Amino acid sequence: MEEELQRIGAEALTEIARAGSEAEVEASRVKYLGRAGSVSAWSERMKSLAKEEKPRIGKLLNETRAAVAEALERRRAALDSEKDARAFASLDISLPGTPVRPGGLHPITLLQDRAAAVFRRMGFALAEGPDVETEWHCFDALNTPPDHPARNERDTFYLPDGRLLRTHTSTVQIRAMEQAPPPVRIIAPGAAYRRDEIDATHLAQFTQMEGLYVDRGVSVADLKGTLEFFFRELLGAGAKCRFRPHFFPFTEPSFEIDIRARASGKWLELAGCGMVDPAVFEAVNGKRGDAAYDPEEYTGFAFGFGLDRLAMILSDVPDIRGFIENDVRFLSQFR
Amino acid sequence: MKVSLNWLREFVEFDENALADLLTRAGVEVEGVEKRGVALDKVVVARIVRSERHPNADRLSVCQVDDGSGQPRQIVCGARNFQAGDKVPLALPGAILPGDFRIKASKLRGVESEGMLCSARELELAEDAEGLLILPATARTGAPLAELFPPDTVLDIEVTPNRPDLLSHGGMAREIAALTGKPWKGLDSQAIVHDGGADVRVEAGAECPLYSATRVANVNVGPSPDWLRKKLEAIGSRPINNIVDATNFVMFERGQPLHAFDAGKIEGGIVVRFAREGEEFLALDGRKYILGSRDLVIADSRRVVALAGVMGGEDSGVTGSTTEVILESASFDPAHVRRTARRLGLRSESSHRFERGVDIGNILPSAGRALELMGGAVTGVGIAGNPVRQRREVVLRYARCDALLGTAVGDDRIDRILTGFGLKKGAGWEIPSYRNDLAREVDLIEEVMRVVGMEVIPSKTTARFAASSDADRAYDRDMALRRTLAALGFFEARTLSLVSEGFRRVRNPLNEEQSALRSSLLPGLLRAVETNARFGTKDVRLFELGRVFGAEEETTHVALVMTGASGERSWRDPHPRQADLFDLKGVLAAARLGEIAFEKADGDSLDVLLDGRRAGRAGQAAAVLFAELELPAAAEGAGKGSCRAVGIYPAIARDIALVLPEEIPHGRVLEILRKGNEPLLERAELFDLFSDPEKLPAGKKSLAYSLTYRAKDRTLTADEANAAHARLKELLKAGLDVQFRE
């Protein structure tokens, strides 16, 4: 009895060791361990064994079953690894990969997202406002007098109802302050429109990023630190910023920011900024009907820059119209 | 504005090499630097005595020239545009021309040449000029060329609109003096004084606070003196005659625009008034303008003789036969000048200055300055209005200045800076008449800022905690969707918001193609597909996520377009099939916006349902597949979501093949399966679809589904799965005209 079981076990191990394929391994499994397999059959025979034989034979049966199962698993693993090892043996591995169609984000979106990421890391929240704006939000509230040249029909798109297409994203400064009392710390990427004839460096529509920080004690030093940090993060630690005094109706003092990305490079005028003009706070207070933005108590800085121009410079784009033509040969160059 | 450094030097000392940087750092941006004249040694005026053909070269000639030394000089020359007697520039041996071109005596084709005759280009007097520069016959032979072309540097300066006081050499010099601490030599001239000898009436006192007219008799109209012509030419102003030149000169020197009328052509007195509606005016440019009642004009008893601050009249101007002039020096309201100049499209140096505001304290001295230059005899002066500006004071708190700038500048330093700009310290700071832009404390702080410079301000980095806003949530949602679509093989396009059609039209479009705000992203995307096709890209997959404009509201849409093959042609698949609507539907589903369904709609396109709600449309236009959806507002708490436990017991799959009438849609089958509420059915997936007349009866199709059964709480038995499968078959049989294929 014992001999027979041992013989079956030995026979199974020999057969399994010889199995040359997954199918042969499986056949051996069925033959020995399957429901009607010869090892399994012993389980039935156990019932009819004498009581004193049961522990001994039962132990042997379990050992045999375990040995066979282990051999099956080992053989299977051995066959698998042989197969893996041979998998590429006969292939022309110089063939190109199965093509996966590429897609990608627009260069302006990529830049906008990088810029937004830097400011968000500094604790700026996003804000937005409509493209179609009132004259008040676009000009009056921003301390731009009624006869200012920018308000002319030659330079600004107007709708029949007197509203206009915002000429800068600075409108969002006003929207943000209307909606909430200070402190305000926002950035606002978005479209702006100017009635410029389209050429290699001008579009009638462009993308800007606006920023505003109003709180107690905000100074030119905060403005400088924030924008220097931003441009270094965006352009690399070697980037240099130069703040050149300038004039904007809605900031005082005002600056233009020239950036030099590399020590050997040229200074490029990339952004405008300044301390929020008290007249802007007063206009917002008037609209809010309170004195939340008391210019004696609160100060702030604001900035804005064009993403199109920045993208042109960063990627050596020769013609700004590339950004609106959407030629995939152009779009596929940006990552 | 063009600024000649030679001219500037009359008012202030400065370091020429540091000037552009100094001004730019102080917010007076120098945009260009132009070198003028000839600053070369050993280049002189020579007279050509005679010239002969070169014995060995057809193209050259051999000239004998007089260089003023008394010794004849022989030069070989390649130009042909001269004749004997002409005076031309001569570079003597030893001269170094631009480009480090050293002149030396040499032999050209065997003939001695002791120098070189020069063209304007070789002396950098012109960008391209053929032949020798022929000098005026009056030029003194042997004189250094610098005498004829004095060297000068001309800066092109961008003056911001708040600083009209810088629109003159005197004013710019005053700024440089303030910035450097060097003395400003001033602009002293005798102001004219009213004597009633010229008849002036101002009917628009608010718009013309001060008007002066000075009658000058016995003037001789002729060319201006050389020094004055040269100054005007240096800054690009064309000399005309001594009277007009004097007015222009004073404008460029002191910033005050002047105008000279021919007194003989003025009838009666000068009147400053508004034009009558429809009144005509013949301007200096020879064109006739129709005026309106808001145009401020200068008139005589008969007609308009000038548009105030903008342009004089054609028939009242100074000509060669003028013997008596009326000189105007006045102040006009900037807004009125700007409106008129813009409306008529007339811009001038004069309107440029009046639009920004002139210094009322400068008006009468400027007239006096012009009189010094014009000659003749003053016979009468009429002045209307008050030349004395009200005293204005602005208070500056030192602490406020330090707080706003973020650094301690020091009270003494602040005092020195403001005093340097001509402000006088009293209870507050008294503002000079030429600085109307200084009206508030913050304006004074800006002056301090300009002088101390950004370099001394520390860089402070402050961060705050920022709670996310609705805009943050929308931005994150939009970016995630953009990235998903890019990963699915689509390039992001950005097209213009202005298109040819939309709910809202622009009143003043640039052209018809960009005349309305887009109500859909598709026109722009279809255009982009065309652009790509034009350059040979046939398989185009683009998407755009952006704003569209309804009759009132602005919403965010996402749109996709797709043309060409469904996949890339390659060794794997040499004949990829054409992309179709289901490729697009698959992408929309993979974008995981929600559950996507298409529904037939009126017209050619399909409705796209997002989670059962109509959200947009899809279809085909000009062989381009498209879909466009409106994105819902980004919800707060996006990214959270409940999670169902996944089954842990084994599943049993059973396939089922249905033969159905062609017109029964897949959706109907799915609906029946779903309505059965079979608890063991986990998934039903269509994996085969065909209608083959050889295998199926006419009008029939076959749909094959893979149904997955699984119990949540136990291992499913085959019998249980078979029973559920049979139940579903019964349901299908009851609900549809269906047969099962085995």
Side-chain angles (χ1 to χ4, degrees):
Chain A
M1 212 190 282
E2 278 177 278
E3 289 80 44
E4 193 186 342
L5 191 50
Q6 279 163 342
R7 188 183 49 78
I8 291 172
E11 181 195 307
L13 294 183
T14 315
E15 194 178 313
I16 290 165
R18 276 199 221 112
S21 70
E22 185 77 14
E24 284 173 27
V25 174
E26 178 61 13
S28 300
R29 188 192 66 81
V30 172
K31 183 171 170 189
Y32 297 102
L33 298 185
R35 213 176 278 177
S38 46
V39 175
S40 308
W42 273 87
S43 304
E44 283 300 311
R45 289 175 65 178
M46 286 285 289
K47 290 171 189 162
S48 55
L49 288 181
K51 205 175 175 193
E52 65 277 13
E53 288 197 298
K54 273 188 182 174
R56 194 167 43 86
I57 300 296
K59 184 165 173 273
L60 183 61
L61 175 60
N62 281 341
E63 284 167 2
T64 308
R65 191 187 281 126
V68 171
E70 199 203 325
L72 283 168
E73 199 38 59
R74 244 200 327 257
R75 187 64 196 140
R76 208 171 258 140
L79 285 171
D80 276 355
S81 79
E82 271 176 49
K83 206 161 111 195
D84 286 348
R86 278 199 316 269
F88 310 130
S90 61
L91 292 184
D92 173 2
I93 53 166
S94 69
L95 285 173
T98 307
V100 174
R101 219 180 255 273
L105 300 187
H106 193 279
I108 301 292
T109 303
L110 288 168
L111 177 62
Q112 175 177 295
D113 195 48
R114 282 181 58 209
V118 178
F119 283 117
R120 292 173 103 183
R121 214 151 51 234
M122 287 191 267
F124 283 80
L126 282 161
E128 57 187 11
D131 289 17
V132 177
E133 262 295 5
T134 64
E135 267 200 90
W136 188 81
H137 283 92
C138 195
F139 295 126
D140 297 286
L142 288 161
N143 196 33
T144 310
D147 59 330
H148 191 275
R151 303 181 68 150
N152 199 272
E153 292 238 348
R154 274 222 303 263
D155 299 316
T156 300
F157 291 113
Y158 282 88
L159 278 79
D161 63 6
R163 283 187 291 172
L164 47 77
L165 299 187
R166 65 184 179 195
T167 57
H168 45 197
T169 44
S170 306
T171 53
V172 186
Q173 290 182 31
I174 306 300
R175 294 260 167 203
M177 289 192 280
E178 261 174 25
Q179 281 159 19
V184 168
R185 191 167 165 93
I186 54 127
I187 52 163
Y193 305 81
R194 275 174 212 171
R195 221 170 150 279
D196 280 340
E197 289 291 345
I198 293 181
D199 63 27
T201 53
H202 294 89
L203 292 177
Q205 178 185 343
F206 45 94
T207 311
Q208 285 192 327
M209 186 171 277
E210 190 76 17
L212 174 71
Y213 175 37
V214 179
D215 203 347
R216 289 190 181 88
V218 177
S219 72
V220 175
D222 294 288
L223 165 74
K224 185 184 181 191
T226 302
L227 291 174
E228 277 179 349
F229 178 81
F230 168 72
F231 280 111
R232 269 191 224 122
E233 283 284 298
L234 193 75
L235 305 173
K240 288 257 179 304
C241 284
R242 183 170 77 179
F243 292 78
R244 193 159 35 71
H246 197 69
F247 172 75
F248 302 111
F250 37 94
T251 48
E252 182 97 342
S254 305
F255 305 89
E256 282 188 329
I257 307 178
D258 299 331
I259 306 291
R260 196 164 65 181
R262 286 173 294 272
S264 57
K266 274 195 327 195
W267 288 105
L268 296 164
E269 182 186 316
L270 282 186
C273 64
M275 302 304 292
V276 179
D277 195 293
V280 174
F281 287 146
E282 296 295 1
V284 168
N285 286 339
K287 186 79 166 192
R288 290 175 58 94
D290 62 15
Y293 288 87
D294 177 358
E296 278 296 304
E297 189 179 352
Y298 288 98
T299 51
F301 67 74
F303 58 86
F305 52 91
L307 291 169
D308 309 74
R309 184 172 150 72
L310 193 53
M312 277 181 90
I313 292 162
L314 289 180
S315 306
D316 292 324
V317 175
D319 190 322
I320 198 167
R321 287 168 290 199
F323 292 132
I324 60 163
E325 276 165 1
N326 300 302
D327 187 326
V328 294
R329 296 171 305 165
F330 174 77
L331 296 175
S332 60
Q333 295 178 49
F334 300 91
R335 272 173 296 175
Chain B
M1 188 188 60
K2 303 265 191 212
V3 173
S4 148
L5 297 194
N6 286 351
W7 197 339
L8 205 55
R9 236 176 245 113
E10 293 177 11
F11 303 108
V12 69
E13 283 174 28
F14 53 85
D15 171 358
E16 178 167 341
N17 298 319
L19 187 64
D21 195 48
L22 171 82
L23 288 172
T24 297
R25 279 168 182 274
V28 185
E29 192 181 355
V30 176
E31 296 185 316
V33 178
E34 182 203 352
K35 297 273 182 195
R36 286 180 58 89
V38 178
L40 302 170
D41 284 339
K42 301 196 172 178
V43 180
V44 300
V45 177
R47 189 172 62 85
I48 295 172
V49 180
R50 65 170 193 280
S51 90
E52 290 154 358
R53 166 142 335 153
H54 191 291
N56 306 322
D58 286 351
R59 292 175 169 275
L60 300 178
S61 42
V62 179
C63 305
Q64 305 303 322
V65 306
D66 171 7
D67 62 10
S69 66
Q71 299 288 320
R73 186 178 280 275
Q74 175 171 296
I75 310 282
V76 176
C77 168
R80 289 155 178 263
N81 66 323
F82 59 88
Q83 49 199 4
D86 279 350
K87 291 189 176 162
V88 296
L90 165 66
L92 297 166
I96 302 169
L97 297 193
D100 202 26
F101 179 26
R102 285 158 196 278
I103 303 299
K104 46 186 188 282
S106 60
K107 273 190 181 173
L108 281 171
R109 295 281 185 108
V111 177
E112 285 285 337
S113 182
E114 300 170 299
M116 186 178 92
L117 303 182
C118 306
S119 70
R121 190 169 54 82
E122 283 155 344
L123 299 174
E124 286 190 332
L125 285 167
E127 302 225 335
D128 59 332
E130 291 290 314
L132 301 183
L133 172 61
I134 307 296
L135 302 170
T138 52
R140 183 172 60 82
T141 302
L145 215 64
E147 269 182 25
L148 266 78
F149 301 98
D152 193 2
T153 300
V154 176
L155 304 183
D156 192 5
I157 298 182
E158 186 205 343
V159 175
T160 53
N162 59 326
R163 297 297 306 273
D165 61 303
L166 301 183
L167 292 171
S168 68
H169 286 78
M172 192 63 76
R174 188 166 53 204
E175 181 80 356
I176 293 166
L179 293 173
T180 58
K182 290 264 165 45
W184 180 57
K185 291 168 194 167
L187 288 163
D188 294 327
S189 274
Q190 198 63 47
I192 52 170
V193 179
H194 179 74
D195 60 13
D199 186 6
V200 173
R201 195 171 81 246
V202 175
E203 291 179 1
E207 292 76 17
C208 175
L210 181 62
Y211 192 96
S212 74
T214 307
R215 299 188 77 97
V216 188
N218 302 329
V219 296
N220 279 311
V221 178
S224 292
D226 205 42
W227 64 266
L228 196 154
R229 293 171 59 96
K230 282 214 164 64
K231 277 187 167 161
L232 292 179
E233 282 168 351
I235 56 166
S237 174
R238 190 168 54 90
I240 294 168
N241 59 49
N242 57 341
I243 305 300
V244 174
D245 293 352
T247 63
N248 285 334
F249 178 88
V250 172
M251 173 168 69
F252 293 124
E253 184 187 67
R254 312 184 52 117
Q256 172 65 33
L258 305 172
H259 184 67
F261 298 101
D262 183 336
K265 294 173 189 160
I266 301 292
E267 292 184 23
I270 295 274
V271 184
V272 183
R273 61 164 169 88
F274 282 105
R276 286 181 286 274
E277 199 61 47
E279 195 168 4
E280 288 183 357
F281 170 61
L282 184 64
L284 260 175
D285 62 5
R287 288 166 56 195
K288 189 177 278 184
Y289 294 90
I290 309 294
L291 308 181
S293 60
R294 297 205 319 163
D295 293 322
L296 192 64
V297 299
I298 317 302
D300 66 2
S301 62
R302 206 161 52 82
R303 72 209 195 283
V304 173
V305 294
L307 278 176
V310 181
M311 195 169 275
E314 169 76 5
D315 58 6
S316 59
V318 174
T319 65
S321 56
T322 299
T323 57
E324 185 178 12
V325 300
I326 296 175
L327 176 72
E328 167 195 292
S329 184
S331 171
F332 302 112
D333 172 52
H336 278 79
V337 173
R338 183 177 305 138
R339 203 177 301 130
T340 296
R342 274 178 189 268
R343 192 174 62 73
L344 301 178
L346 274 172
R347 317 298 300 280
S348 61
E349 291 280 357
S350 160
S351 69
H352 186 74
R353 285 165 177 77
F354 280 118
E355 282 177 27
R356 284 155 178 78
V358 296
D359 170 12
I360 201 148
N362 186 31
I363 289 169
L364 304 182
S366 291
R369 174 67 170 140
L371 296 174
E372 292 169 15
L373 300 168
M374 281 164 44
V378 174
T379 56
V381 176
I383 298 174
N386 183 3
V388 183
R389 205 197 54 159
Q390 261 193 335
R391 200 179 126 92
R392 278 195 304 122
E393 277 200 355
V394 176
V395 172
L396 175 96
R397 294 163 295 176
Y398 298 116
R400 176 75 178 178
C401 181
D402 289 352
L404 193 71
L405 298 185
T407 190
V409 176
D411 302 357
D412 290 349
R413 178 102 199 269
I414 292 173
D415 283 355
R416 277 203 307 281
I417 289 167
L418 295 181
T419 308
F421 281 115
L423 281 68
K424 288 197 187 72
K425 191 177 180 183
W429 287 92
E430 190 188 337
I431 310 296
S433 66
Y434 51 87
R435 289 303 301 270
N436 283 327
D437 60 312
L438 303 181
R440 303 164 303 169
E441 182 178 44
V442 68
D443 299 326
L444 302 194
I445 295 174
E446 180 174 42
E447 294 304 290
V448 174
M449 176 73 238
R450 289 200 305 126
V451 176
V452 300
M454 199 60 150
E455 293 77 10
V456 306
I457 308 281
S459 298
K460 200 169 141 200
T461 49
T462 319
R464 288 190 71 94
F465 296 168
S468 36
S469 61
D470 288 347
D472 277 301
R473 284 183 281 278
Y475 181 87
D476 291 338
R477 190 267 319 264
D478 292 350
M479 283 307 296
L481 180 54
R482 284 186 175 106
R483 290 199 182 94
T484 302
L485 292 173
L488 290 168
F490 283 69
F491 279 105
E492 185 191 13
R494 289 173 82 107
T495 66
L496 296 176
S497 301
L498 285 171
V499 294
S500 59
E501 276 174 56
F503 292 112
R504 280 190 269 181
R505 296 193 69 77
V506 170
R507 195 164 76 198
N508 52 340
L510 279 168
N511 52 52
E512 267 309 298
E513 286 86 69
Q514 297 173 32
S515 58
L517 287 161
R518 64 185 179 189
S519 57
S520 160
L521 301 172
L522 291 174
L525 284 176
L526 292 174
R527 207 182 162 130
V529 171
E530 270 173 43
T531 303
N532 279 285
R534 200 163 61 239
F535 293 111
T537 312
K538 297 280 185 276
D539 298 354
V540 182
R541 293 176 173 203
L542 293 172
F543 78 92
E544 181 167 10
L545 193 160
R547 269 187 196 183
V548 299
F549 303 83
E552 262 306 312
E553 72 291 349
E554 297 180 14
T555 52
T556 304
H557 279 196
V558 62
L560 297 87
V561 290
M562 192 175 194
T563 62
S566 61
E568 303 267 302
R569 186 174 187 214
S570 76
W571 59 277
R572 266 294 157 74
D573 184 5
H575 305 292
R577 67 180 166 74
Q578 198 68 12
D580 63 25
L581 193 64
F582 299 101
D583 291 308
L584 197 57
K585 196 178 184 183
V587 170
L588 286 177
R592 302 181 60 166
L593 291 159
E595 198 178 329
I596 294 287
F598 285 177
E599 201 167 74
K600 293 226 164 76
D602 298 342
D604 301 333
S605 63
L606 305 170
D607 280 347
V608 179
L609 306 186
L610 180 60
D611 293 327
R613 283 179 303 107
R614 195 193 170 282
R617 60 205 179 99
Q620 184 171 327
V624 179
L625 298 159
F626 68 81
E628 178 169 28
L629 306 185
E630 179 176 341
L631 294 176
E636 198 154 343
K640 296 175 199 153
S642 57
C643 167
R644 274 186 322 247
V646 293
I648 56 166
Y649 294 96
I652 294 177
R654 292 279 181 270
D655 290 352
I656 184 171
L658 283 59
V659 176
L660 294 159
E662 290 268 21
E663 64 274 13
I664 295 185
H666 155 75
R668 177 76 188 126
V669 174
L670 222 50
E671 194 180 276
I672 290 173
L673 291 176
R674 210 173 278 159
K675 278 197 177 147
N677 279 332
E678 172 54 57
L680 298 178
L681 180 65
E682 188 180 67
R683 237 171 35 231
E685 265 160 13
L686 178 69
F687 70 88
D688 193 21
L689 159 68
F690 72 95
S691 47
D692 183 341
E694 305 220 330
K695 293 184 186 157
L696 296 173
K700 298 280 186 176
K701 66 178 172 187
S702 167
L703 297 177
Y705 293 85
S706 166
L707 306 180
T708 306
Y709 299 96
R710 194 195 304 266
K712 289 192 168 68
D713 53 355
R714 63 187 188 283
T715 301
L716 204 59
T717 64
D719 291 348
E720 284 178 294
N722 292 342
H725 200 59
R727 281 196 293 277
L728 290 176
K729 273 184 158 178
E730 282 310 311
L731 271 176
L732 290 168
K733 224 183 270 178
L736 298 168
D737 171 15
V738 64
Q739 286 159 308
F740 299 104
R741 292 190 327 129
E742 296 309 324

